[in-house]
Amino acid sequence: MPLHSRTRRLVLTAVLTLCGASVTLPAHAATPRPLFDLQAHRGGIGLTTESSIEGFAKALQVGVSTLELDTQVTKDEKVMVTHDRQVNATKCRDTAPVSPGDPQYPYAGKYVKDLTLAQLKTLNCGYQQLPGYPSQEVAQGMRMIELKDVFGLVRKHRAWGVKLNIETKVEAGAPEQTAPRKVFVRRVFEEIRASGLQRQVTVQSFDWGALRLMHQLAPRLSLVALTNYDFLQVGKPGASPWLGGIDADDYDGDFVRAADAVPGVKTLSPVYGFPQNGTIADPTFRFYVDSSMVRRAHARGLKVVPWTANDLPTIAALIDLGIDGIITDYPDRVRELMAERGLRLPKQYR
């Protein structure tokens, strides 16, 4: 049987010691470099229609460590993979009512929580290229998919090394626009449990109240605290509705300390900088993530995986700050950057 690298190192050290030799082995022989977490945002919006099976499949082929995706819960409590709490007519257009005379038709513009799975399945969400993504391949005629479909894709490809970073997209600032938090979290948890892929799952949310509920249901599940900074509501009276009862001012507005107070949180996922889609080439741009944030997070055993960066020089600068991964619309481009930097590359599933 082949020896593990650490075992080989110990055997070689023992042999050299017995022979009276004094040799220093390179540290990397004992400690492999950690895998930089390359996350395909909504399956890789820059490459394929977002939140589609075709998009997630292409991300697996490109070779990513994590499929990042959003969820909403329907009127009949089905867990859909979609970023938008309200059906976006730019992405999905009506085809026909699910039944003649359906009073809710047309469905575009309605909240997902007010529609059923059958109603949502009538929508054509692959009818045009999304503006701003000129290289995006359109998944023609795509119907909105369920969370269980993504689990099925992972099993089909036997992608046991790939994580699924699932966002419970509860709208804490307008709770009437999404399924009730308890229902939302329970249904996502049930789908994760039914998949049998719990060890490959992380759950993220801007709504830290949802993270608290998920921890109660699944205490071993790794959680991810999202923020755009504004949701912290630093310097404002009382606790932000997004922080699950935490007042960021009790932690001097420190995102790291506040998020670390949420049970189960293992990763911090802040916006990478301001403005949200800015780059280091912009004279007014500034990073939110800095070396101090990364150091303080690492000191607490937390990873830092910012969202959603696409500009390669900006991503390179973030890597220099010591981040543990990145959420991106263009995982193929970031993978090339990783290769140039000598970072370990995730497995490709063809």
Side-chain angles (χ1 to χ4, degrees):
M1 291 179 63
L3 293 175
H4 186 276
S5 60
R6 184 174 184 274
T7 304
R8 290 197 303 269
R9 175 182 170 83
L10 292 172
V11 170
L12 182 54
T13 301
V15 170
L16 291 171
T17 300
L18 288 171
C19 295
S22 177
V23 177
T24 300
L25 297 178
H28 61 74
T31 308
R33 299 180 68 177
L35 181 65
F36 184 80
D37 190 5
L38 174 56
Q39 298 201 17
H41 184 228
R42 305 184 208 171
I45 263 187
L47 307 183
T48 320
T49 300
E50 69 177 85
S51 304
S52 65
I53 283 294
E54 293 86 346
F56 293 117
K58 185 181 290 184
L60 292 178
Q61 293 170 1
V62 166
V64 301
S65 47
T66 301
L67 301 176
E68 191 272 354
L69 57 112
D70 308 287
T71 58
Q72 291 287 344
V73 175
T74 67
K75 183 178 181 180
D76 49 352
E77 296 192 3
K78 303 298 182 181
V79 183
M80 310 305 295
V81 178
T82 177
H83 171 268
D84 304 308
R85 61 186 180 276
Q86 193 171 12
V87 177
N88 187 334
T90 303
K91 302 174 184 178
C92 300
R93 69 179 178 186
D94 284 289
T95 58
V98 72
S99 59
D102 184 351
Q104 286 186 290
Y105 187 80
Y107 308 129
K110 303 290 194 308
Y111 291 110
V112 171
K113 61 106 178 176
D114 294 327
L115 298 172
T116 65
L117 173 65
Q119 289 171 320
L120 289 167
K121 283 290 189 181
T122 67
L123 292 160
N124 180 354
C125 299
Y127 76 95
Q128 69 171 356
Q129 190 179 74
L130 189 65
Y133 297 92
S135 59
Q136 183 189 71
E137 179 182 358
V138 178
Q140 293 291 340
M142 190 271 277
R143 263 39 178 183
M144 203 176 290
I145 63 174
E146 295 178 71
L147 177 57
K148 66 180 182 180
D149 297 325
V150 184
F151 285 129
L153 177 75
V154 170
R155 283 194 297 269
K156 177 182 176 181
H157 284 264
R158 301 180 66 83
W160 313 132
V162 170
K163 294 281 188 181
L164 294 95
N165 189 18
I166 301 168
E167 181 174 349
T168 55
K169 214 157 185 62
V170 177
E171 188 64 20
E176 72 282 358
Q177 296 179 5
T178 53
R181 181 187 284 125
K182 288 185 177 180
V183 174
F184 204 132
V185 172
R186 173 180 58 80
R187 285 298 298 121
V188 171
F189 162 71
E190 289 170 347
E191 291 295 332
I192 294 170
R193 182 177 58 185
S195 75
L197 299 176
Q198 295 97 313
R199 71 172 188 84
Q200 292 177 237
V201 170
T202 60
V203 173
Q204 62 177 348
S205 192
F206 286 99
D207 176 28
W208 297 2
L211 295 180
R212 286 183 177 276
L213 285 176
M214 186 61 74
H215 182 70
Q216 293 173 12
L217 294 172
R220 295 184 179 180
L221 204 61
S222 293
L223 304 180
V224 182
L226 286 160
T227 190
N228 63 0
Y229 178 75
D230 289 344
F231 287 172
L232 299 178
Q233 296 189 1
V234 178
K236 296 183 179 180
S240 166
W242 293 95
L243 304 191
I246 291 174
D247 188 338
D249 293 322
D250 291 339
Y251 300 88
D252 299 320
D254 184 351
F255 169 50
V256 175
R257 291 172 55 206
D260 193 30
V262 181
V265 165
K266 304 297 182 186
T267 300
L268 308 181
S269 194
V271 64
Y272 68 92
F274 309 109
Q276 185 171 307
N277 297 315
T279 74
I280 57 173
D282 302 332
T284 59
F285 174 78
R286 64 184 179 88
F287 281 114
Y288 177 42
V289 177
D290 58 18
S291 57
S292 173
M293 177 188 287
V294 174
R295 283 196 308 271
R296 289 182 288 108
H298 288 173
R300 292 172 177 265
L302 303 172
K303 295 181 179 180
V304 180
V305 181
W307 60 273
T308 297
N310 297 318
D311 176 69
L312 292 186
T314 304
I315 295 171
L318 286 164
I319 292 173
D320 289 339
L321 294 175
I323 61 170
D324 301 283
I326 197 74
I327 299 173
T328 182
D329 295 330
Y330 296 95
D332 57 335
R333 299 177 187 177
V334 178
R335 187 181 168 96
E336 291 178 1
L337 174 63
M338 291 170 62
E340 291 172 5
R341 293 232 162 181
L343 298 175
R344 287 174 59 204
L345 298 179
K347 181 177 177 178
Q348 295 173 308
Y349 296 87
R350 299 195 178 280

